[in-house]
Amino acid sequence: MDEAQIIARLEVLRTEHRDLDAAIDALAVTGIPDQLQIARLKKRKLRLRDEIANCEDQLIPDIIA
């Protein structure tokens, strides 16, 4: 992937990460939160964070010290 594609992918991932955060918050404030669903969303959010970090690493060149 070239730099423009990585940047576009990052934006999509960050948006999805924010949406999951909002969904988790919304589920948590309900009267009886679905703990299994919240756990699944949190797991997905962690995978997205890892993928975001991976894309960011691709954009930043390695510096040999």
Side-chain angles (χ1 to χ4, degrees):
M1 288 198 311
D2 67 344
E3 189 172 331
Q5 290 174 322
I6 294 171
I7 291 171
R9 179 75 178 141
L10 263 173
E11 190 59 38
V12 169
L13 292 172
R14 287 178 178 148
T15 301
E16 188 173 348
H17 190 270
R18 280 191 302 269
D19 291 346
L20 280 174
D21 201 30
I24 291 168
D25 289 343
L27 279 174
V29 298
T30 61
I32 304 171
D34 183 358
Q35 295 300 322
L36 182 60
Q37 182 67 22
I38 291 173
R40 287 178 180 156
L41 291 175
K42 285 182 177 181
K43 199 175 211 182
R44 172 78 179 133
K45 189 176 162 189
L46 286 173
R47 282 194 304 264
L48 284 172
R49 188 184 69 187
D50 290 342
E51 194 172 343
I52 288 168
N54 185 23
C55 287
E56 288 173 342
D57 288 345
Q58 290 177 12
L59 289 175
I60 301 170
D62 290 335
I63 298 173
I64 300 173

